[in-house]
Amino acid sequence: MSGGSLSLNTGNLEDIVDLAFHDDEPKRYIPVSSAHVSGVNYLNIGEPGLEFLKGLHDSGLKFTVRTTINPGCFDFEDPKWQRCNPALIEKQRMIAGTLEEMGALVTLSCTPYMDTVVPQPGDHLAWAESSAVLYANSVMGAWSNKESGISAIASAVLGRTAYVGVHKPEGRVPHYSISYDGSISNEVQAGALGFAIGSVVGDSVSKFRCQELSNATYVRQFLAALGTSGSAPMIIIEGITPGCEIEDERGVEMIRLADEDVQRVVEKMSSDKEPEAFVLGCPHLTGDELFDVMRRSPQMRDIPAYAFTSRASSSVMNLSKLSGQLKLIRDSCVLWCGLKASGYKTVATNSVKAAYYLKTTFGLDVKLVSLMVEKT
Ligand code: F3S
């Protein structure tokens, strides 16, 4: 691997980590047990991003902690049917190859917490995928700020991150207490509620009680959408977030949301046009969700459905049961080169996060449709 003109050393990476400190703040660091790098989709980072990664690689830098990577833009194992530009496929392979040679596991998944790096409560991490950071902190009880792709790389090399934000107990004290006077009856509503909360709380930690979020799919859709409209690394969900029973509410600002707030998000994001395809798996489908999608696929309308998941989750499935209209795509974000090449104008998804990015990045009309409507 060569061609990077950029030359970096560990001092440069220390400077990147130090950007997290305020001017008057003492510089303290905390070791991390793993790093997760985002910003690896060539459709997002393009040539400048690839050149930057090559520069890091050619500088001889190596990851010193377990490091996983976010999805790219195509299925590496089965590229032929995807109609993707071969030059683009080559660039995406170079990104993954560069990171692998630096020591990353080529997981190409936005759900590392499901299988590859399952954090334990109290683990300090340097993760950079917002939905994964929110899940690790809010559901698994880990401690991670929302790193940028570059600061996650810096921490992966250095093995430590800045001791700021939610790495500190005082950084996990909520600023807002959210109450919701409505109910959640499917994963689209869960996502819309997360999006409404993220718009209000911004980058602040908040606390929330919602019985329905004990459903695994609902909570993942809720957190992914919360991380789309806001940048908070964590929300304390009572009864779910380990070790976070907040008794004292002094200084906590109360915010009330109602059914109308959720409905407003759905109406604003969802198109009335007839979809030409379904896009499922933002964040990547877990094994259980994939099984559910496969079970329901005969009931889906007669249009193609693209189900995005990780290699690890798909490896435990019997893929011979896939029906004709359902295609499984591993290694790729829903911002997938095949979708770009398809010519579709309107797609359906059950993910508010996917709706947001397919609209803003690919310029598609998106209809929000729930697929998993029962409560568990
Ligand atoms: Fe994953 Fe891409 Fe969605 S990284 S969370 S599938 S926008």
Side-chain angles (χ1 to χ4, degrees):
M1 197 79 54
S2 66
S5 53
L6 182 76
S7 178
L8 287 163
N9 55 39
T10 51
N12 302 125
L13 299 184
E14 283 162 3
D15 291 343
I16 290 168
V17 169
D18 286 355
L19 292 172
F21 295 112
H22 295 297
D23 287 346
D24 51 350
E25 201 170 14
K27 289 187 176 143
R28 289 181 60 199
Y29 304 92
I30 183 108
V32 292
S33 55
S34 67
H36 180 75
V37 178
S38 66
V40 304
N41 184 336
Y42 185 77
L43 292 177
N44 286 338
I45 65 172
E47 210 52 26
L50 172 58
E51 286 305 311
F52 178 75
L53 292 175
K54 286 201 292 199
L56 287 171
H57 170 277
D58 293 352
S59 303
L61 297 166
K62 297 281 183 200
F63 301 140
T64 61
V65 296
R66 196 168 170 83
T67 299
T68 48
I69 63 174
N70 238 19
C73 67
F74 79 105
D75 185 331
F76 283 46
E77 290 179 50
D78 190 10
K80 290 197 192 72
W81 67 274
Q82 300 173 67
R83 294 177 305 228
C84 299
N85 180 331
L88 189 124
I89 286 184
E90 186 50 32
K91 299 284 187 187
Q92 186 64 71
R93 285 197 193 280
M94 285 170 85
I95 290 171
T98 301
L99 290 165
E100 184 174 27
E101 286 182 15
M102 291 176 69
L105 297 163
V106 183
T107 48
L108 295 160
S109 167
C110 44
T111 55
Y113 51 82
M114 289 309 303
D115 32 55
T116 324
V117 190
V118 182
Q120 299 303 305
D123 281 357
H124 288 267
L125 320 169
W127 285 18
E129 158 57 38
S130 63
S131 62
V133 170
L134 277 154
Y135 193 89
N137 286 322
S138 312
V139 177
M140 306 187 96
W143 301 53
S144 179
N145 285 320
K146 187 181 158 198
E147 303 284 351
S148 67
I150 293 171
S151 67
I153 286 176
S155 290
V157 172
L158 300 170
R160 63 173 193 264
T161 190
Y163 186 60
V164 297
V166 296
H167 286 292
K168 294 171 144 181
E170 59 268 35
R172 304 167 80 88
V173 174
H175 291 170
Y176 299 106
S177 177
I178 317 283
S179 71
Y180 174 56
D181 302 331
S183 63
I184 299 292
S185 56
N186 62 54
E187 78 282 20
V188 170
Q189 290 179 355
L193 177 60
F195 196 89
I197 293 176
S199 309
V200 176
V201 303
D203 63 0
S204 299
V205 175
S206 53
K207 84 170 213 187
F208 185 51
R209 173 179 290 153
C210 181
Q211 203 78 47
E212 287 94 340
L213 291 183
S214 55
N215 176 302
T217 297
Y218 292 6
V219 78
R220 286 177 358 98
Q221 289 300 325
F222 170 83
L223 293 171
L226 194 151
T228 302
S229 57
S231 54
M234 172 178 190
I235 180 166
I236 297 166
I237 308 171
E238 289 189 4
I240 292 179
T241 307
C244 281
E245 275 65 47
I246 309 292
E247 306 292 344
D248 185 356
E249 296 216 334
R250 275 174 301 179
V252 178
E253 191 177 328
M254 309 295 286
I255 294 174
R256 268 183 191 284
L257 294 174
D259 270 337
E260 303 86 81
D261 299 294
V262 169
Q263 203 43 42
R264 203 172 300 124
V265 171
V266 174
E267 279 164 16
K268 195 165 168 208
M269 299 196 92
S270 190
S271 166
D272 289 336
K273 295 186 185 155
E274 209 42 46
E276 299 148 283
F278 276 105
V279 175
L280 307 165
C282 172
H284 274 174
L285 296 166
T286 63
D288 286 348
E289 288 170 343
L290 187 54
F291 182 75
D292 204 34
V293 166
M294 286 165 68
R295 191 168 59 81
R296 287 163 195 275
S297 57
Q299 303 157 20
M300 289 181 195
R301 278 174 270 176
D302 197 23
I303 56 175
Y306 302 106
F308 293 80
T309 189
S310 65
R311 294 179 188 190
S313 292
S314 66
S315 67
V316 297
M317 305 302 295
N318 179 357
L319 301 180
S320 64
K321 297 221 166 106
L322 280 179
S323 78
Q325 287 286 63
L326 180 64
K327 294 265 187 230
L328 194 71
I329 300 152
R330 295 150 294 201
D331 307 330
S332 179
C333 175
V334 294
L335 299 176
W336 165 54
C337 56
L339 198 60
K340 209 170 173 59
S342 67
Y344 298 134
K345 301 239 176 324
T346 307
V347 296
T349 182
N350 62 348
S351 163
V352 168
K353 177 171 183 175
Y356 179 86
Y357 283 109
L358 290 170
K359 203 171 187 156
T360 55
T361 308
F362 276 9
L364 296 174
D365 280 317
V366 185
K367 183 168 193 159
L368 284 165
V369 178
S370 169
L371 290 182
M372 303 171 194
V373 289
E374 319 104 331
K375 295 179 187 176
T376 59

